[in-house]
Amino acid sequence: MVAPELPVHPQEDTAMGAPGTDAAAPDTAGPPKLSTLDRFLPVWIGLAMTAGLLLGRWVPGLQGALDAVKAGGISVPIAIGLLVMMYPVLAKVRYDRLDSVTRDTRLLVSSLVLNWLVGPAVMFALAWIFLADLPEFRTGLIIVGLARCIAMVIIWNDLACGDREAAAVLVALNSVFQVLAFGLLGWFYLELLPGWLGLDQSGIDVSPWEIAAMVVVFLGVPLVAGYLTRIFGERAKGRAWYEDRFLPRIGPLALYGLLFTIVMLFALQGEAITSGPVDVARIAVPLLIYFVAMWGLSMLLGRAIRLSYERSTTLAFTASGNNFELAIAVAVGVFGVTSGQALAGVVGPLIEVPVLVGLVYVSLWARRFFPARSTAGA
């Protein structure tokens, strides 16, 4: 599935390093198209789930084999898959462009509020509304809500003709902020807030320190690795080589890591999944509502504060997309690979990918309702 060829507003630069267009140049460029790997991501995820279920049935001793090599309570093969999944997307981020968005205070403040106040609160409410009787799935869904956008959001933003540089910078900010705030927010939404509201917390025992440790390992380590890779790669070979040749080579590793993790999760959870398909469907419903609601609210906010279409779209996709890679890593690290929390994390990308691709088309249709340029300082 690809976006229709509509004109794109010229950008100062692009997230992937293509030369920017002059401000006076005509709007003749069209949006990029999804690669074959990205276009069929829901298919690959579905095949990985099926392969995992079959593997779990044919290799009953798989869990014992994975548990034979552990580090910090996590199976080493699964930990490697999670790190491989995170590294390429963080190597793509342009860490030297933060000031290009921080000058636009309307966009920056709106993004921070939507990502770190509204988004987690909305997912918390949906998790308790739809999964009050399923504490493991509920907790997994809340963790998905805390894992803010990175990586794939740049693809959706590009397809919808959003501001590529702004998207890259907001992704960088979210990546850094998650290392600092994820553990604290996990404690707030999983322990403190339910206690204040008098909600039933039976069956869930989670330490904020465990969550923080998993974020440091599975986000902090690849974040530092990605940053150093870009710094030394560009110094040695230049930005054009790094973004045109190096990044395309390592990019597919993120998908391979994700698919490997999904295969392992479904291999180890096959019985729970096949015996309770309705429970899995119940996870999908609040996720669907969340993605659509966050996108719609963000677009309306962008229009209300008179951001351009390009920056409103960037705001919407960075607020509605989630870092499901991190959510899966945290759930596996804290609760275990066979936990309901981990399963909830895996359902995330299965719902997010087709929904956000669909919202690309809605964004392009809504373009007519926005002013041509942002009135915020950019």
Side-chain angles (χ1 to χ4, degrees), residues 49-287:
M49 291 176 174
T50 302
L53 293 174
L54 295 176
L55 184 64
R57 181 178 296 272
W58 293 339
V59 186
L62 179 62
Q63 182 170 358
L66 292 174
D67 289 341
V69 185
K70 280 189 171 184
I74 305 174
S75 169
V76 171
I78 292 178
I80 292 174
L82 293 171
L83 289 171
V84 168
M85 177 174 66
M86 295 294 295
Y87 165 70
V89 298
L90 292 166
K92 294 180 180 180
V93 174
R94 284 187 174 182
Y95 298 94
D96 60 344
R97 303 292 184 140
L98 295 179
D99 63 340
S100 69
V101 170
T102 54
R103 291 194 302 266
D104 186 344
T105 55
R106 291 183 184 179
L107 176 65
L108 180 62
V109 172
S110 298
S111 178
L112 290 175
V113 169
L114 287 167
N115 272 287
W116 298 103
L117 294 179
V118 178
V122 169
M123 189 68 89
F124 174 85
L126 290 172
W128 275 97
I129 290 172
F130 288 92
L131 299 169
D133 59 328
L134 295 172
E136 289 191 357
F137 292 162
R138 184 183 69 230
T139 300
L141 210 63
I142 293 173
I143 290 174
V144 171
L146 297 178
R148 308 313 300 166
C149 70
I150 65 171
M152 289 295 291
V153 70
I154 294 178
I155 295 177
W156 317 136
N157 180 75
D158 274 0
L159 288 173
C161 302
D163 187 322
R164 298 167 185 169
E165 197 64 39
V169 174
L170 291 179
V171 162
L173 289 173
N174 276 338
S175 299
V176 174
F177 202 84
Q178 280 182 105
V179 176
L180 304 175
F182 196 104
L184 179 62
L185 288 173
W187 168 73
F188 177 78
Y189 280 104
L190 295 176
E191 289 194 0
L192 188 60
L193 185 57
W196 284 353
L197 299 176
L199 300 173
D200 181 17
Q201 295 175 270
S202 60
I204 294 298
D205 182 18
V206 58
S207 165
W209 303 112
E210 284 185 280
I211 293 178
M214 291 304 104
V215 173
V216 169
V217 171
F218 292 112
L219 180 59
V221 170
L223 178 63
V224 171
Y227 174 77
L228 294 177
T229 301
R230 176 173 280 278
I231 293 297
F232 290 110
E234 290 188 358
R235 285 180 182 176
K237 297 283 190 176
R239 175 160 288 186
W241 172 88
Y242 183 84
E243 297 192 337
D244 295 339
R245 299 186 63 182
F246 178 72
L247 288 182
R249 291 178 182 175
I250 67 169
L253 292 177
L255 176 60
Y256 302 151
L258 173 63
L259 295 180
F260 171 78
T261 303
I262 291 174
V263 169
M264 292 298 100
L265 288 173
F266 274 72
L268 299 175
Q269 299 209 53
E271 183 176 350
I273 295 168
T274 55
S275 62
V278 175
D279 291 340
V280 176
R282 288 179 59 186
I283 299 173
V285 173
L287 283 169

Side-chain angles (χ1 to χ4, degrees), residues 156-157 160-163 295 299 308-318 363 370:
W156 317 136
N157 180 75
C161 302
D163 187 322
W295 177 89
M299 288 292 279
S308 68
Y309 166 80
E310 290 78 15
R311 291 213 160 176
S312 295
T313 297
T314 297
L315 181 66
F317 281 101
T318 52
S363 297
F370 287 82

